[in-house]
Amino acid sequence: MTEEESFEVTPWDVEGNVDYQKLIEKFGTKRINPSLKKRFFKDAGEENLYMKRDFVFSHRDLEKVLDDYENGEGFFLYTGVGPSGPMHIGHIIAFQMTQWIQEKFDVNVYIQFPDDEKFWSRDVDYDDIEKFAEDNLKDIAAVGFDPDKTFVFKNTEYIGHMYKAASKVAEKINNSVASAVFGFDSSTNIGLNFYPALQLLPTFFEDKRCLIPAGIDQDPYWRIQRDIAPKFGYKKAAQVHNKFVPALTGPEGKMSSSKPKTAVMLSDSPEEAKDKILQEAYSGGKQSKEEHREKGADLSVDVAYQWLYNLFMQDDERVEEIGRKYENGEMLTGEIKQILGEKLGEFLKEHQRRKEEKGDELVEKMMYEGNLAKKMWDKKIQL
Ligand code: TYM
């Protein structure tokens, strides 16, 4: 972090209290404005909660994606997750967004598991990475992708189909760009130096425009993609960026599996999750009941309210009413946490049921057996 900035966002870490407007300016992305939202919802045939509440807040070329859709050219989706631990609520957002777009626009989805990147960037060995990947894959399956239009792959397994094309991408990225964009220095291992070529490659899996729903921390990769895509005769990848689900413990940083107190894991039982909310969730309410009744809560830092508003409560009127009453002191922190606890518990129960009942079968389809997967194993990626 430099002195004038109080936050830092990189693909590996998020620190401080993120100012999303500043991030848009720094990364050179665009805010999703009301007219673009309206057009997106119209084409989708439905409103999307995350975009409606500005949790998915920023984009690049989303209007071009909609042009391509409206004129029949179409587009495809790409996202990913690094298997370095069990997944938490924050990790699942971009996948839910991706699944929603797939369902509404009926398009292909590619999901990368960069097991190699986690080996290079974290202190974990391949045995652990394997175990995390196995579990994470079932979480992804529970999100409900179309198994015939979704291809999920681990880099170490699919590499033979990607390597030649990735080497061509790698040739276009020099060390000064890599260090400027990612902050690589002389202590960075050379595996990580090559990795950006692999994270970019799926944006070239089809000739159509690629749309990437992901957290805004992944943006550095796409800046490079947009520089080099025209050199290969491909379209620049478009993105929709989500904000970070704040850590339970407060507005600083993001929820992170390496800091368990900050996170609700997708594997937490509904009761565990409710307990975490009650005990850990940072409150914007006042210390004493009297003071709270008089002054009310600061919604902007209240984790339970933020989660409800951004992620769990579809009903606009209800969430606004709760916000109003909490802000003017009519409602207490405990009540907000209770409402969130119920919603979160229902979500986890349903997620875990789908993971348990259908996980193995769907993973098999999305990795090997489904229509898109079979097609991808039959070809080598060309650039
Ligand atoms: P990873 O595993 O760090 O994160 C996976 C996805 O989750 C998002 N994310 C969050 N979103 C909201 N709140 C949070 N607290 C939070 N923490 C993480 C990330 O932005 C990301 O969308 N290198 C990537 C894996 C990858 C990838 C991709 C991601 C490979 N190809 C294409 C997106 C698109 C990684 O390690 O993500």
Side-chain angles (χ1 to χ4, degrees):
M1 264 186 275
T2 58
E3 270 181 30
E4 60 291 359
E5 280 173 350
S6 54
F7 66 94
E8 186 171 55
V9 174
T10 73
W12 296 277
D13 205 9
V14 174
E15 277 178 43
N17 199 346
V18 181
D19 178 332
Y20 288 100
Q21 183 52 35
K22 280 205 181 131
L23 210 52
I24 284 181
E25 288 157 23
K26 189 172 165 198
F27 285 180
T29 67
K30 286 192 182 148
R31 193 169 276 282
I32 300 178
N33 65 32
S35 68
L36 183 56
K37 243 188 236 185
K38 210 167 145 198
R39 183 176 168 202
F40 180 70
F41 295 163
K42 184 161 178 276
D43 282 350
E46 207 177 306
E47 292 192 335
N48 172 273
L49 175 68
Y50 301 145
M51 198 183 279
K52 187 165 72 170
R53 302 278 158 82
D54 287 325
F55 194 69
V56 170
F57 72 112
S58 143
H59 79 107
R60 278 204 184 92
D61 285 352
L62 180 60
E63 63 281 80
K64 290 191 180 154
V65 172
L66 297 179
D67 289 344
D68 289 353
Y69 175 73
E70 288 164 15
N71 70 25
E73 267 181 73
F75 66 96
F76 70 99
L77 291 158
Y78 162 45
T79 195
V81 61
S84 61
M87 286 174 75
H88 57 60
I89 294 282
H91 288 128
I92 207 73
I93 305 299
F95 288 93
Q96 289 177 324
M97 189 68 197
T98 306
Q99 186 278 331
W100 190 91
I101 302 175
Q102 178 180 52
E103 192 178 299
K104 304 301 167 202
F105 293 85
D106 191 25
V107 291
N108 286 345
V109 172
Y110 298 88
I111 298 175
Q112 182 173 48
F113 268 66
D115 46 355
D116 48 357
E117 192 256 347
K118 290 304 157 200
F119 181 70
W120 290 321
S121 70
R122 297 275 173 91
D123 193 16
V124 273
D125 63 31
Y126 268 114
D127 288 342
D128 286 334
I129 291 173
E130 262 309 301
K131 282 188 209 126
F132 293 135
E134 205 179 302
D135 184 61
N136 295 176
L137 282 162
K138 286 193 255 183
D139 281 314
I140 304 299
V143 174
F145 292 98
D146 177 341
D148 280 314
K149 292 192 172 169
T150 304
F151 177 50
V152 184
F153 60 98
K154 291 191 252 184
N155 281 358
T156 54
E157 231 178 71
Y158 196 60
I159 190 68
H161 296 251
M162 299 193 285
Y163 192 65
K164 203 184 223 176
S167 75
K168 293 186 184 178
V169 173
E171 194 228 359
K172 299 274 184 267
I173 307 171
N174 64 32
N175 274 315
S176 78
V177 169
S179 42
V181 174
F182 297 106
F184 294 158
D185 59 27
S186 56
S187 69
T188 307
N189 66 59
I190 61 172
L192 275 183
N193 240 25
F194 176 69
Y195 173 72
L198 286 172
Q199 181 151 336
L200 298 198
L201 191 63
T203 66
F204 305 126
F205 277 7
E206 294 187 14
D207 293 337
K208 298 171 187 172
R209 194 182 306 276
C210 173
L211 171 62
I212 307 166
I216 195 160
D217 57 324
Q218 299 298 311
D219 191 69
Y221 292 101
W222 322 133
R223 295 208 284 275
I224 299 183
Q225 195 278 355
R226 291 170 61 84
D227 264 355
I228 65 173
K231 297 180 186 164
F232 292 110
Y234 278 77
K235 291 179 173 164
K236 294 182 177 185
Q239 296 101 51
V240 284
H241 303 111
N242 61 263
K243 296 179 184 170
F244 306 112
V245 175
L248 270 183
T249 42
E252 299 272 307
K254 65 165 183 170
M255 178 179 287
S256 165
S257 7
S258 53
K259 301 171 198 152
K261 273 205 159 188
T262 67
V264 170
M265 311 310 294
L266 294 173
S267 55
D268 284 347
S269 71
E271 290 67 35
E272 273 169 327
K274 282 182 204 165
D275 274 359
K276 276 191 190 172
I277 297 292
L278 287 177
Q279 280 160 31
E280 307 287 349
Y282 185 85
S283 168
K286 299 291 173 295
Q287 289 288 354
S288 72
K289 209 168 170 178
E290 293 67 38
E291 196 192 352
H292 182 81
R293 292 282 186 218
E294 193 189 319
K295 296 186 179 149
D298 177 354
L299 302 185
S300 69
V301 297
D302 191 274
V303 170
Y305 179 75
Q306 288 297 326
W307 282 32
L308 260 186
Y309 180 82
N310 287 302
L311 312 174
F312 288 102
M313 195 165 262
Q314 286 280 357
D315 187 335
D316 294 334
E317 277 177 27
R318 176 97 176 100
V319 80
E320 268 154 33
E321 186 196 348
I322 291 174
R324 216 172 36 246
K325 288 188 172 165
Y326 190 32
E327 202 170 27
N328 71 21
E330 260 179 84
M331 286 181 90
L332 300 172
T333 296
E335 295 173 80
I336 308 296
K337 289 187 172 183
Q338 199 63 39
I339 299 171
L340 174 65
E342 286 307 316
K343 290 258 173 209
L344 181 61
E346 278 166 32
F347 165 76
L348 288 172
K349 197 168 152 213
E350 187 52 22
H351 177 85
Q352 288 160 12
R353 187 188 61 74
R354 287 195 302 259
K355 181 175 174 182
E356 200 51 43
E357 281 176 13
K358 286 258 177 190
D360 286 328
E361 181 193 327
L362 287 172
V363 168
E364 201 58 19
K365 278 207 174 142
M366 294 192 299
M367 291 188 84
Y368 312 107
E369 307 270 310
N371 291 341
L372 185 61
K374 277 202 209 125
K375 200 169 130 202
M376 293 305 287
W377 282 106
D378 273 350
K379 71 171 185 186
K380 292 229 186 308
I381 306 300
Q382 302 291 344
L383 261 191

